[in-house]
Amino acid sequence: MTEQIYLVGGAVRDQLLGIEVKDKDWVVVGSSPDKMLAQGFQAVGKDFPVFLHPSTHEEYALARTERKTAPGYKGFQFHAAEDVTLEQDLQRRDLTINAIAQTEDGTLIDPYNGQQDIKDKILRHVSPAFAEDPVRVLRIARFAARFDFTIADETQALIKQMIESGELEYLVAERVWQELDKALGADKPSRFFTSLRESGALKALFPEVDRLFGVPQPEKWHPEIDTGVHVMLVIDQAAKLTQDKIVRFAALCHDLGKGTTPADTLPRHIGHEARSIDLTKALCKRIKAPKEYQEMAVLIAEYHTHVHLLFELKANTILKVLNAFDAFRRPERFQQFLLTGEADSRGRPGYETSAIPELAAFQQCRDTAAKITAQPFVEAGLVGPAISEAMQKQRIIEIKKRQSDWKKTNSS
Ligand code: ATP
Ligand code: MG
């Protein structure tokens, strides 16, 4: 059998959707590892026979079939041989829209009607073997978020079965994080969570997010009332404001503590910030979120209300917030704080475009306080911790000046 190479998966799909093709995946039929190596390809697949092209460095996978012999990933076995056909390889793929191949001359090979599903905006599984890999539950929610597609009824039913059978317990943290991280990159990340919620997967995978739905907040500040609805609006606002996924993740976590507010104190959420911190840490640990995501999410959990309360804060509290974010040395972290605060405020129906004077005012505080440097105190002969103490005092004086400016503008 002579070797044939096809473009497959995301690249074919994205091209049909008319969106930018990021990375190209290829499938090679009628070849073998030895033949690939002889042609200069470099073996990279740890789990599967995948090779890098000697010059383009794109991924070329030998056509394979897969089957599950036992629960969990250890029971996943593949068979890659020269007699595996293109149709067989396409059949092991998750969704019909991801199971279209293209020949070099542009001809599409589409045995599972992926093109029709692209036209109808439907995510449909290719075969019942879909149920063998729980990561597909996350992938499908991510595609629902990215493309605004709906999940076919029969696929949704299969997902529900997978959840009931406990299949999601086999998901490893790294894969959950990887998919969540990609989902946060969507224009409307909320769709990822609402899609997971519809199948019941949200409760299984992110119970701390699922729990927010149905929890009331005071209508005076939150016309949407429901905390889950609010958090979804906030992550979508965050996605509108910035590409920074750290901000989007912090937006997801900021109000987690509202999910464990004692029922007899609702709809108020006294002390939810401390509960958000604990839940955020536990979530990050469970899904192995990178350190920089966790650090910012925990800080935002602690301080997010301080954006809205700025005009009522004492000067030394304002300085405490600035120091917590290391705002003088790392101004970008302070921006992440302000962006999350902005998303939090705009993530309420009716407030999407409202003025938020606290943002510029907080920035003013940072900028004036940042002008206080160590140099004059060193020159005045201070040494050791006395320098930092003097700087903090002077920064508080500067912040107080801003506060009296605000009072003047407010009363004039
Ligand atoms: P993205 O645009 O996010 O890269 P993709 O569809 O290209 O999306 P990849 O992870 O790059 O996703 O995988 C390439 C192709 O491999 C997919 O289009 C799909 O055909 C197949 N595939 C990937 N992961 C799975 C999986 N868990 N189960 C079944 N098929 C998969
Ligand atoms: Mg891809």
Side-chain angles (χ1 to χ4, degrees):
M1 192 169 168
T2 54
E3 171 190 288
Q4 293 144 331
I5 297 178
Y6 305 87
L7 185 63
V8 273
V12 179
R13 176 199 68 214
D14 291 349
Q15 182 189 306
L16 290 167
L17 281 165
I19 61 182
E20 190 200 343
V21 173
K22 282 206 205 91
D23 50 10
K24 288 185 178 169
D25 295 302
W26 305 86
V27 63
V28 186
V29 177
S31 189
S32 68
D34 286 346
K35 285 186 187 170
M36 296 297 283
L37 295 173
Q39 291 175 63
F41 282 85
Q42 208 187 325
V44 285
K46 189 161 59 78
D47 305 318
F48 303 113
V50 179
F51 301 84
L52 292 188
H53 190 278
S55 51
T56 66
H57 303 292
E58 288 169 354
E59 282 192 8
Y60 286 68
L62 290 184
R64 65 177 192 261
T65 57
E66 284 173 0
R67 67 194 178 112
K68 191 139 179 172
T69 52
Y73 284 99
K74 290 200 179 76
F76 226 77
Q77 290 186 348
F78 69 87
H79 169 74
E82 293 191 34
D83 61 353
V84 174
T85 66
L86 177 66
E87 279 71 15
Q88 284 174 324
D89 180 274
L90 293 175
Q91 195 185 14
R92 64 149 180 99
R93 295 172 185 269
D94 51 357
L95 302 170
T96 60
I97 65 164
N98 291 340
I100 309 170
Q102 189 178 36
T103 62
E104 213 174 314
D105 68 9
T107 309
L108 295 172
I109 297 150
D110 182 16
Y112 305 103
N113 297 321
Q115 293 174 86
Q116 188 62 44
D117 284 337
I118 288 179
K119 280 197 197 99
D120 299 338
K121 295 177 162 244
I122 289 198
L123 301 167
R124 192 190 313 276
H125 64 284
V126 173
S127 87
F130 180 91
E132 293 180 354
D133 178 5
V135 87
R136 293 168 187 159
V137 174
L138 286 161
R139 279 174 58 89
I140 200 170
R142 175 160 70 74
F143 290 127
R146 200 197 303 171
F147 305 134
D148 194 15
F149 276 29
T150 44
I151 298 176
D153 290 344
E154 68 265 30
T155 305
Q156 191 71 283
L158 190 59
I159 292 171
K160 283 186 180 149
Q161 270 178 30
M162 290 167 75
I163 296 164
E164 277 160 28
S165 72
E167 185 65 34
L168 298 194
E169 283 158 34
Y170 294 105
L171 270 172
V172 293
E174 287 78 4
R175 295 308 304 273
V176 178
W177 172 256
Q178 194 185 358
E179 295 300 320
L180 172 61
D181 189 46
K182 284 189 182 176
L184 289 172
D187 292 342
K188 258 185 116 181
S190 68
R191 290 201 205 112
F192 174 72
F193 297 97
T194 43
S195 171
L196 289 177
R197 188 161 174 255
E198 274 164 30
S199 64
L202 191 63
K203 194 173 181 182
L205 293 171
F206 302 107
E208 51 282 272
V209 179
D210 187 68
R211 204 186 286 143
L212 300 176
F213 290 91
V215 174
Q217 306 165 102
E219 193 172 1
K220 179 170 179 228
W221 302 112
H222 287 283
E224 74 285 358
I225 301 179
D226 189 288
T227 309
V229 172
H230 168 60
V231 169
M232 293 300 109
L233 292 170
V234 177
I235 53 173
D236 287 347
Q237 286 292 339
K240 263 194 193 170
L241 291 170
T242 175
Q243 292 294 325
D244 185 349
K245 289 190 278 188
I246 292 183
V247 171
R248 298 175 180 197
F249 182 67
L252 173 70
C253 297
H254 80 288
D255 268 347
L256 288 180
K258 288 183 177 176
T260 54
T261 298
D264 58 343
T265 62
L266 289 172
R268 298 183 65 205
H269 293 278
I270 305 150
H272 76 274
E273 297 89 340
R275 294 192 297 278
S276 286
I277 294 173
D278 291 345
L279 288 162
T280 298
K281 283 184 182 164
L283 168 67
C284 289
K285 193 172 170 205
R286 191 177 78 239
I287 63 176
K288 298 195 182 158
K291 196 164 148 260
E292 64 271 25
Y293 282 76
Q294 164 161 348
E295 263 177 22
M296 185 50 60
V298 168
L299 279 170
I300 301 277
E302 180 161 6
Y303 292 111
H304 64 276
T305 37
H306 287 60
V307 179
H308 320 305
L309 294 174
L310 175 67
F311 295 127
E312 288 148 50
L313 297 180
K314 291 189 189 125
N316 58 356
T317 308
I318 295 175
L319 183 61
K320 189 179 132 194
V321 178
L322 294 173
N323 284 329
F325 284 90
D326 205 1
F328 304 114
R329 284 187 303 177
R330 299 171 69 185
E332 73 286 356
R333 302 222 312 174
F334 184 62
Q335 293 313 311
Q336 291 173 320
F337 167 65
L338 291 185
L339 282 166
T340 318
E342 181 172 358
D344 192 14
S345 181
R346 301 200 184 290
R348 300 174 298 161
Y351 291 87
E352 293 87 349
T353 56
S354 304
I356 311 172
E358 289 84 356
L359 299 175
F362 227 133
Q363 184 72 54
Q364 264 185 353
C365 290
R366 194 223 76 105
D367 293 347
T368 44
K371 287 190 188 125
I372 309 300
T373 60
Q375 202 192 356
F377 302 108
V378 174
E379 282 167 8
L382 294 187
V383 285
I387 300 169
S388 153
E389 270 167 42
M391 281 174 70
Q392 302 298 322
K393 270 191 194 148
Q394 194 57 42
R395 282 179 169 162
I396 290 178
I397 291 169
E398 293 301 323
I399 293 170
K400 281 186 175 160
K401 285 187 200 159
R402 297 288 81 73
Q403 288 179 309
S404 57
D405 293 345
W406 301 338
K407 284 211 185 87
K408 276 182 226 148
T409 15
N410 276 349
S411 55
S412 64

